[in-house]
């Protein structure tokens, strides 16, 4: 018996020694496999892979169809702080949750501290990593799987509830990347992704937005996983297209819709060291020893891409950023609206970029215009300041409000000085700043400036809070809520200060308008000048194309001339000569 046991043991050992080099070759990274000769979906375009058209969206394109984009913006705008029971509450929270496998949790756990430390992230956004190692799409597609129980525990540990989950990032695959014959395996993965999406909506009733991402390059592990990682993107593409094409299983509007709005998040696949059209590559050093899981460098790479997506995507930035909105964004889509106040009939005429034209009679011809987001719903509210009294109309519920705060001679400077998502009532008076917090009725007074200064409040240090600042004879004096006191010489006494975030880095830039020339001192880009307009034009700088950068623009006799950073030049006839363009309200 002992001889038999010894014989079996030796046989097993010899077998292990004979096959272990092969196993190591399969499981270890092969850094010579720097390309698979495949074209990324976003570069494939109208071309095909095994008869299937490329592009992230239908028709071989990489841009969301207009109707789907509009639907996404609508859902993103509906994301708001909720209490534990899922009821709207300005002091509540809302959750971005990850769902996926080992790669997903490794990448998202790197993303979370990066995002939490970003000063532009909204304070009431809670990021929770729900992804779990060794749990593939099959596990997650079972509503009774313990994966969902684990998520519930993690939500509780983060101090939030299932009712507060409103955004999901989903990155998932079949175990081992073995999708089999194309497109059968892709179709199977698509179905599992659909199951996960619908289960998530059933467990998180306030889930509104779900972004999907693909695998990154898998070729360093071998051909099987390399092909599976590439084909993974086609499953995501198919699921997104199902919703775009009106599949009732994925309806996201109406009464009790079964699904959230879904769209591509970052598309991560690139062909190894062959640069994608946007320059993305994947080096062997981006992976751990197995060639499939991300190394610390790879995790950081994914985390950076993901953070950039949430800060710049037209839908994601609406709920992620704490300071993405401009004072003239009346429909809350992240784009400044072409809007005027006409003193002759005391009507606000708004040509909203998403919701279209509307007209509202509000105020008197002698009022000081004071639009801002007073109710915290992400939309600018119509408001005026008259003899020390504030009158405004909440966009969230159309309720009228009036409050005595200030003196008749004060300059209204409403803005979000606390970073709570709501503008404070605020006035500037002879070097004094007085603010009234509408959330907690807290009064504050700050001495900063002198009587002749021009108030230019803005978020100069990028922490999501508006800073007290004044312009005096070509000098900017700023009291940053994080950076403290700073002084910058930029401009001359007769210039019109036109503060804004012209380089899109989240920090307000010093800028002036002088006789048709814009002089800008970007906090990231540095100094530059732009000839745009004539001496009598009214500067109306704002972010008209929603790319996060303030655009150079002027108003002249009822015509808006805009040099948009993302969409180029545009001229729009809206208003008449004596109208007051709303984006110019705060130009001293």
């Amino acid at each position: 018996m002992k001889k038999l046991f010894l014989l079996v043991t030796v046989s097993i050992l010899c077998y292990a020694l004979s096959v272990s080099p092969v196993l190591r070759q399969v499981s270890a990274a092969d850094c010579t496999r720097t390309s698979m000769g495949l074209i990324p979906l976003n570069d494939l375009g109208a071309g095909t892979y095994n008869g299937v058209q490329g592009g992230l969206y239908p028709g071989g394109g990489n841009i969301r169809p207009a109707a789907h984009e509009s639907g996404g913006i609508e859902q993103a705008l509906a994301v708001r702080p909720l209490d534990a029971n899922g009821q709207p509450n300005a002091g509540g929270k809302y959750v971005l949750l990850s769902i996926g496998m080992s790669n997903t949790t490794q990448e998202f756990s790197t993303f979370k501290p990066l995002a939490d430390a970003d000063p532009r992230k909204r304070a009431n956004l809670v990021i929770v990593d729900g992804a779990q190692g060794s749990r593939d799409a099959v596990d997650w597609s079972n509503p009774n799987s313990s994966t969902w129980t684990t998520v519930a525990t993690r939500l509780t540990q983060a101090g939030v509830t299932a009712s507060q989950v409103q955004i999901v990032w989903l990155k998932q695959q079949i175990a081992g990347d073995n999708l089999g014959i194309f497109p059968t395996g892709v179709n199977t993965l698509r179905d599992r992704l659909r199951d996960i999406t619908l289960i998530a909506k059933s467990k998180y009733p306030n889930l509104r937005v779900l972004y999907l991402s693909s695998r990154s390059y898998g070729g360093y592990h071998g051909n099987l996983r390399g092909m599976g990682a590439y084909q993974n993107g086609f499953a995501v593409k198919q699921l997104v297209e199902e919703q775009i094409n009106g599949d009732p299983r994925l309806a996201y509007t109406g009464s009790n819709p079964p699904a959230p709005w879904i769209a591509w998040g970052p598309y991560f696949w690139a062909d190894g060291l062959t640069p994608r059209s946007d320059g993305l590559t994947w080096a062997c050093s981006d992976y751990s020893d197995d060639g499939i899981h991300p190394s610390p460098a790879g995790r950081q790479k994914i985390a950076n891409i993901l953070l950039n997506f949430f800060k710049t995507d037209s839908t994601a930035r609406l709920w992620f950023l704490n300071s993405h909105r401009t004072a003239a964004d009346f429909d809350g889509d992240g784009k400044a609206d072409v809007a005027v106040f006409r003193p002759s009939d005391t009507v606000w005429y708004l040509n909203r970029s998403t919701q279209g034209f509307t007209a509202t009679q509000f105020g008197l011809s002698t009022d000081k215009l004071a639009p801002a987001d007073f109710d915290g719903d992400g939309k600018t509210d119509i408001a005026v300041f008259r003899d020390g009294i504030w009158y405004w109309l909440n966009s969230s519920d159309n309720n009228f409000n009036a409050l005595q705060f200030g003196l008749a001679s004060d300059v209204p400077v409403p803005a979000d000085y606390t970073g709570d998502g709501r503008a404070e009532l605020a006035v500037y008076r002879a070097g004094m700043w007085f603010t009234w917090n509408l959330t907690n009725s807290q009064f504050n007074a700050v001495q900063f400036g002198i009587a002749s200064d021009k108030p230019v409040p803005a978020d100069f240090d990028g922490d999501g809070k508006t800073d007290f600042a004044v312009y005096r004879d070509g000098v900017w004096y700023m009291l940053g809520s994080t950076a403290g006191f700073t002084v910058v010489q930029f401009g001359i006494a007769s210039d019109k200060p036109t503060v804004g975030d012209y380089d899109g880095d989240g920090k307000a830039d010093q800028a002036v308008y002088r006789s048709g020339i814009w002089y800008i001192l970007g906090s990231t880009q540095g100094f530059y000048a732009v000839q745009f307009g004539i001496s009598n034009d009214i500067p109306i700088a704002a972010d008209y194309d929603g790319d996060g950068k303030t655009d150079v623009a002027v108003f002249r006799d009822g015509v808006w001339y805009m040099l948009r950073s993302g969409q180029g030049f545009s001229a729009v006839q809206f208003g008449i000569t004596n109208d007051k363009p709303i984006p110019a309200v705060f130009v001293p």
Side-chain angles (χ1 to χ4, degrees):
M1 184 68 180
K2 289 182 179 180
K3 291 182 179 180
L4 177 61
F5 177 78
L6 179 61
L7 178 61
V8 171
T9 302
V10 171
S11 299
I12 292 175
L13 179 60
C14 292
Y15 175 78
L17 289 173
S18 66
V19 301
S20 59
V22 177
L23 291 176
R24 282 197 297 271
Q25 288 176 8
V26 172
S27 61
D30 180 355
C31 294
T32 66
R33 296 177 56 86
T34 58
S35 171
M36 295 189 65
L38 300 172
I39 302 175
L41 267 175
N42 59 337
D43 290 344
L44 186 57
T48 61
Y49 168 77
N50 286 345
V52 179
Q53 191 177 60
L56 302 182
Y57 290 99
N62 298 319
I63 299 175
R64 296 180 194 124
H68 199 60
E69 169 78 0
S70 178
I73 288 175
E74 182 179 356
Q75 292 301 311
L77 289 173
V79 173
R80 63 189 59 197
L82 304 174
D83 64 20
N85 296 317
Q87 298 302 308
N89 187 312
K93 301 174 182 178
Y94 59 100
V95 176
L96 163 61
L97 174 70
S98 69
I99 290 177
M101 56 203 172
S102 54
N103 288 55
T104 312
T105 186
Q106 290 171 0
E107 295 154 358
F108 202 76
S109 61
T110 302
F111 161 79
K112 175 176 165 52
L114 183 69
D116 283 340
D118 194 301
R120 300 188 68 192
K121 170 188 162 292
R122 297 193 71 174
N124 46 13
L125 168 61
V126 178
I127 299 174
V128 178
D129 180 20
Q132 299 158 45
S134 302
R135 297 289 190 164
D136 74 343
V138 176
D139 289 311
W140 284 93
S141 61
N142 177 4
N144 298 315
S145 170
S146 62
T147 55
W148 297 101
T149 305
T150 299
V151 174
T153 300
R154 293 183 183 180
L155 291 172
T156 300
Q157 292 172 341
V160 292
T161 67
S163 295
Q164 292 171 309
V165 176
Q166 296 182 68
I167 313 105
V168 161
W169 177 56
L170 171 59
K171 179 181 176 181
Q172 190 53 279
Q173 175 67 307
I174 301 293
D177 288 298
N178 189 358
L179 296 182
I181 299 174
F182 185 89
T184 303
V186 166
N187 295 341
T188 298
L189 176 58
R190 174 205 61 204
D191 293 345
R192 298 293 77 78
L193 293 176
R194 187 194 311 112
D195 291 340
I196 296 168
T197 298
L198 299 179
I199 293 169
K201 178 63 176 178
S202 69
K203 292 183 179 292
Y204 314 124
N206 292 310
L207 176 61
R208 293 186 174 277
V209 176
L210 185 144
Y211 302 103
L212 295 115
S213 287
S214 67
R215 290 283 252 157
S216 58
Y217 185 68
Y220 293 119
H221 188 281
N223 189 67
L224 175 64
R225 301 204 72 163
M227 292 300 296
Y230 175 70
Q231 294 174 359
N232 173 274
F234 285 89
V236 174
K237 172 182 170 66
Q238 287 185 12
L239 180 64
V240 173
E241 289 187 358
E242 281 185 345
Q243 186 175 74
I244 291 173
N245 293 333
D247 190 324
R249 294 173 296 179
L250 294 171
Y252 63 91
T253 59
S255 178
N256 297 317
W261 178 84
I262 61 176
W264 273 98
Y267 173 61
F268 292 122
W269 198 90
D271 192 20
L273 291 182
T274 303
R276 214 164 68 174
S277 59
D278 59 4
L280 181 65
T281 61
W282 292 103
C284 198
S285 58
D286 291 323
Y287 297 88
S288 61
D289 291 342
D290 65 2
I292 199 69
H293 290 92
S295 67
R299 298 178 192 183
Q300 192 65 50
K301 193 171 184 176
I302 290 283
N304 289 336
I305 295 173
L306 196 57
L307 179 60
N308 181 68
F309 173 82
F310 289 134
K311 292 170 68 172
T312 60
D313 177 76
S314 59
T315 61
R317 65 195 301 268
L318 297 175
W319 52 261
F320 187 87
L321 296 180
N322 59 16
S323 58
H324 70 274
R325 297 179 175 97
T326 177
D329 182 10
F330 291 92
D331 53 11
D333 63 355
K335 301 178 183 179
D337 299 315
V338 173
V340 298
F341 175 75
R342 187 167 301 164
S344 60
D345 56 13
T346 64
V347 174
W348 297 64
Y349 295 96
L350 314 177
N351 188 16
R352 299 167 297 179
S353 48
T354 295
Q355 296 181 345
F357 174 79
T358 186
T360 302
Q361 181 152 13
F362 193 84
L364 303 177
S365 61
T366 55
D367 287 343
K368 298 175 182 177
L369 307 184
D373 181 11
F374 295 105
D375 54 10
D377 68 346
K379 302 178 182 180
T380 299
D381 302 318
I382 291 174
V384 297
F385 180 75
R386 181 191 313 156
D387 298 329
I389 303 177
W390 295 74
Y391 302 92
W392 73 95
L393 195 62
N394 283 345
S395 52
S396 59
D397 54 18
N398 210 38
N399 280 343
F400 171 78
N401 302 271
L403 186 66
Q404 169 74 52
F405 186 75
L407 303 177
S409 58
D410 288 345
V411 178
V413 285
D416 184 7
Y417 295 92
T418 61
D420 66 354
R422 298 180 66 182
E424 281 76 54
L425 303 182
V427 296
Y428 180 77
R429 181 191 312 158
M432 290 293 299
W433 298 74
F434 301 97
T435 64
W436 182 263
N437 191 315
L438 292 168
T439 300
N440 57 21
S441 299
Q442 183 175 348
F443 169 77
N444 189 36
V446 175
Q447 168 71 54
F448 192 76
I450 60 177
S452 58
D453 287 345
K454 298 176 179 179
V456 286
D459 182 9
F460 290 96
D461 51 17
D463 64 355
K465 301 177 182 179
T466 299
D467 304 316
F468 302 117
V470 295
Y471 181 77
R472 182 190 310 160
D473 298 329
V475 182
W476 299 70
Y477 299 89
M478 295 154 288
L479 186 61
S481 48
T482 296
F485 175 72
T486 54
V487 179
V488 176
Q489 168 73 54
F490 192 77
I492 59 177
S494 58
D495 287 343
K496 294 180 179 178
T498 55
V499 64
D501 183 9
Y502 292 88
D503 50 18
D505 64 354
K507 300 179 181 179
D509 305 314
Q510 291 82 27
V512 296
Y513 181 75
R514 182 192 311 161
S515 301
I517 301 179
W518 297 73
Y519 299 93
I520 300 166
L521 185 61
S523 49
T524 296
Q525 286 185 293
F527 171 77
Y528 62 99
V530 178
Q531 169 72 55
F532 194 79
I534 58 178
S535 58
N536 294 327
D537 287 344
I538 300 174
I540 49 172
D543 182 9
Y544 294 96
D545 53 12
D547 66 351
K549 300 179 181 180
T550 298
D551 303 315
V552 167
V554 296
F555 180 78
R556 183 191 313 158
D557 297 328
V559 181
W560 300 63
Y561 300 94
M562 298 168 283
L563 187 59
R564 299 166 298 176
S565 52
Q567 298 178 352
F569 173 77
S570 177
V572 177
Q573 171 71 55
F574 191 80
I576 58 179
T577 301
N578 294 323
D579 286 346
K580 296 181 179 180
I582 304 304
V585 167
F586 299 114
V587 176

